[in-house]
Amino acid sequence: MESKHILVSILITFALFISASNSRPIIRRLPGFDGDLPFTLEAGYIGVGEDDAVQIFYYFVESERNPSEDPLLIYLTGGPGTSVLYSMMYQIGPLNFDLDASWENNITLKLNPYAWNKVANVIYIDAPAGAGFAYATTYEASRSSDSLLASNAYDFLRKWLMEHPRFLSNPLYISGISYMGIILPNVALHVYNGNEHGNQPHMNIKGVISVSPLTDKFGDFNSRFEFAHRLSLISDEMYESTEKTCNGNYVSLYNDLDSIRCSNNLQWVDECTSMINLENILEPLCATTDPACREATFGLVVAWANDKDVQKALNVREGTIETWEWQNSTIHYNLGKNDTVIYSYDVFSTIPIHKQLLAKKCQYLIICGDHDMVFPHVGTEKWIRSLNLPIEKRWEPWFVNDQIAGYQMTYAQSEYLLTYATIKGAGHGIALYKPEEALAMVDEWLDSRIYLSDV
């Protein structure tokens, strides 16, 4: 045991040396924000893969509360191929666009009062290569997959913590949104298994925070039919007829459609739902060029991130990308999309990985907006039930400002704990629609965790 502690001390000393020799400059100012940034921001690259040919770009924002003790979150955004800068600037990061000022004059930034770094240290990463500012130095390294992305994220985390050893003892959570529901459980499993195998550095992993996750590429899309009925987008008659003729399969891609009646019913359902904004069914479906449309504001991040002064401030390596895109269409997944030369969608379902995590000391938080039709909460609830976990706390409301903000329930088995929560009125990007409630749920859940020593 003594020799083990000596080895750990040597490794930490070595890590401190690496950290000192690879220190990243703190970003004091950003174009669009008036004055010095009132939070600690760092941005740069860490290479993974053979010869570090995959250069993952990251933004690190320290907690404004107690960075030495607050949890450490690594946050991946959906797609795949969507830049994490989208999540930062529109959802949970420390800065938002001042829409009124940005439309009228130059792009202007303002502080986000509901940023997640109010309660945690957050590492936002662009991955795989081709997402945001991440890039590859070889053609082979530009190719990725669901499984490789998880492996690269794990390698990134190991290297980042070696460069930032003062955060080794902070409780670590693997977190992200949307398509990353296919990736996050695998990253967590890499960390748990790496710790068990003695990989260094040893990470103080506590669990996962998954927002609006895709978990099963059949079940989650199939659940849109049930969701549409619950939200009165389709009638009882339509629901009953389709249920009877399609035998529980409402995704035409995975349905041989031998039944003409099933095919006709699915077309009927499509007529009633195709003009619905799947991101949030309460929001209008409108053109991205319409300034009154929420989606039109996404053009601001494109203009801002392609500004050479912004890229210089963020320490982006000149010449590594041609044009920054908020979403790389060659990587981004669509229902039924086949593998491309750049990306392989090689994980169909992460339910088997979730079952492996049941044997770990893992605390899992899943948050869904109850008006999200991209990956509806009804599909999430179904696969959670398939884990056959004992219920620790029954379905109950949770509150913000003395109002019901959503509902939650908790499952527990041995040292595994899963909390499932909804946010009332929220869509797919929960913090885009309900930022205060999203922060409140994450803060409340993190504060309720009991951090036991792994030594």
Side-chain angles (χ1 to χ4, degrees):
M1 182 64 70
E2 184 177 352
S3 61
K4 178 182 177 181
H5 286 297
I6 292 173
L7 176 61
V8 171
S9 297
I10 293 172
L11 287 168
I12 290 176
T13 301
F14 181 62
L16 287 169
F17 171 76
I18 293 176
S19 178
S21 60
N22 292 279
S23 58
R24 313 274 181 169
I26 301 301
I27 296 170
R28 305 293 183 188
R29 287 175 170 262
L30 282 175
F33 187 80
D34 186 19
D36 290 344
L37 298 176
F39 53 86
T40 300
L41 171 66
E42 174 189 312
Y45 299 86
I46 286 183
V48 298
E50 186 175 355
D51 298 324
D52 290 343
V54 177
Q55 291 288 312
I56 293 178
F57 191 80
Y58 74 91
Y59 310 80
F60 173 57
V61 187
E62 280 193 8
S63 173
E64 295 181 17
R65 187 171 58 184
N66 187 352
S68 63
E69 295 183 5
D70 282 343
L72 174 67
L73 276 55
I74 179 172
Y75 194 90
L76 295 85
T77 200
T82 300
S83 173
V84 79
L85 194 57
Y86 167 73
S87 288
M88 284 185 65
M89 303 302 288
Y90 290 99
Q91 297 176 8
I92 66 171
L95 295 172
N96 292 154
F97 292 105
D98 186 331
L99 299 182
D100 292 335
S102 295
W103 286 128
E104 295 175 0
N105 301 295
N106 295 326
I107 294 178
T108 305
L109 306 179
K110 63 179 182 179
L111 293 174
N112 176 11
Y114 306 114
W116 286 16
N117 64 293
K118 299 289 184 183
V119 300
N121 304 286
V122 188
I123 315 167
Y124 302 89
I125 70 170
D126 274 338
F133 291 121
Y135 69 96
T137 61
T138 67
Y139 170 74
E140 186 59 33
S142 70
R143 303 173 67 183
S144 190
S145 67
D146 296 337
S147 53
L148 184 56
L149 175 52
S151 177
N152 284 345
Y154 169 61
D155 290 340
F156 167 89
L157 197 48
R158 291 179 66 189
K159 287 192 172 185
W160 191 91
L161 283 168
M162 289 294 283
E163 290 192 6
H164 301 77
R166 68 190 182 96
F167 293 102
L168 278 168
S169 62
N170 294 60
L172 170 65
Y173 290 89
I174 313 301
S175 60
I177 187 172
S178 193
Y179 191 91
M180 291 301 106
I182 291 290
I183 311 299
L184 301 181
N186 207 351
V187 178
L189 193 60
H190 275 294
V191 177
Y192 282 109
N193 290 342
N195 283 350
E196 292 169 9
H197 295 154
N199 292 353
Q200 295 299 326
H202 180 92
M203 302 186 199
N204 190 23
I205 185 168
K206 299 301 178 184
V208 181
I209 299 175
S210 191
V211 178
S212 309
L214 171 62
T215 303
D216 183 276
K217 290 175 182 173
F218 171 73
D220 286 316
F221 287 101
N222 201 52
S223 71
R224 290 178 177 179
F225 173 73
E226 176 71 30
F227 177 85
H229 180 237
R230 289 195 189 186
L231 274 293
S232 301
L233 304 181
I234 60 176
S235 69
D236 289 345
E237 176 192 2
M238 189 185 306
Y239 175 80
E240 292 164 3
S241 177
T242 308
E243 184 183 40
K244 181 178 179 180
T245 58
C246 292
N247 298 314
N249 185 343
Y250 313 112
V251 181
S252 57
L253 178 70
Y254 303 119
N255 196 320
D256 58 21
L257 299 182
D258 284 341
S259 168
I260 295 176
R261 288 189 64 197
C262 173
S263 178
N264 290 339
N265 279 331
L266 290 179
Q267 290 180 21
W268 188 14
V269 170
D270 185 63
E271 288 176 10
C272 293
T273 58
S274 61
M275 294 302 291
I276 293 290
N277 186 339
L278 300 185
E279 297 281 334
N280 187 327
I281 68 164
L282 301 179
E283 293 275 308
L285 186 67
C286 53
T288 57
T289 54
D290 181 358
C293 179
R294 183 191 299 271
E295 285 76 9
T297 65
F298 298 164
L300 293 174
V301 72
V302 177
W304 188 77
N306 277 296
D307 187 296
K308 295 302 180 184
D309 290 334
V310 170
Q311 294 181 7
K312 183 178 180 180
L314 292 173
N315 303 317
V316 175
R317 292 172 184 157
E318 190 173 355
T320 54
I321 62 163
E322 293 182 5
T323 303
W324 184 93
E325 298 176 312
W326 78 274
Q327 186 177 87
N328 187 331
S329 60
T330 63
I331 302 173
H332 182 74
Y333 179 77
N334 295 312
L335 176 62
K337 184 176 181 179
N338 294 324
D339 293 350
T340 70
V341 295
I342 297 298
Y343 198 91
S344 174
Y345 311 103
D346 62 349
V347 176
F348 188 81
S349 174
T350 54
I351 294 175
I353 301 175
H354 278 278
K355 290 180 178 178
Q356 292 183 63
L357 289 173
L358 299 181
K360 310 297 183 183
K361 186 186 291 186
C362 180
Q363 301 165 341
Y364 217 111
L365 172 63
I366 298 172
I367 313 174
C368 292
D370 65 7
H371 283 74
D372 172 18
M373 196 170 169
V374 176
F375 305 131
H377 64 90
V378 293
T380 301
E381 291 165 9
K382 185 174 182 178
W383 71 255
I384 289 176
R385 288 195 300 271
S386 76
L387 299 179
N388 295 315
L389 290 167
I391 296 175
E392 183 178 79
K393 287 186 178 181
R394 67 180 186 178
W395 184 263
E396 62 184 8
W398 62 279
F399 297 82
V400 173
N401 299 324
D402 297 324
Q403 297 293 321
I404 292 179
Y407 298 84
Q408 62 180 334
M409 66 187 305
T410 302
Y411 305 81
Q413 178 176 287
S414 187
E415 294 184 303
Y416 178 90
L417 182 142
L418 186 151
T419 299
Y420 164 67
T422 65
I423 294 184
K424 185 166 64 73
H428 190 58
I430 58 168
L432 181 65
Y433 304 100
K434 298 288 184 177
E436 182 178 6
E437 289 82 354
L439 175 61
M441 168 49 63
V442 169
D443 186 24
E444 175 185 314
W445 186 79
L446 288 173
D447 281 349
S448 69
R449 300 308 91 208
I450 299 173
Y451 300 129
L452 301 176
S453 173
D454 293 324
V455 178

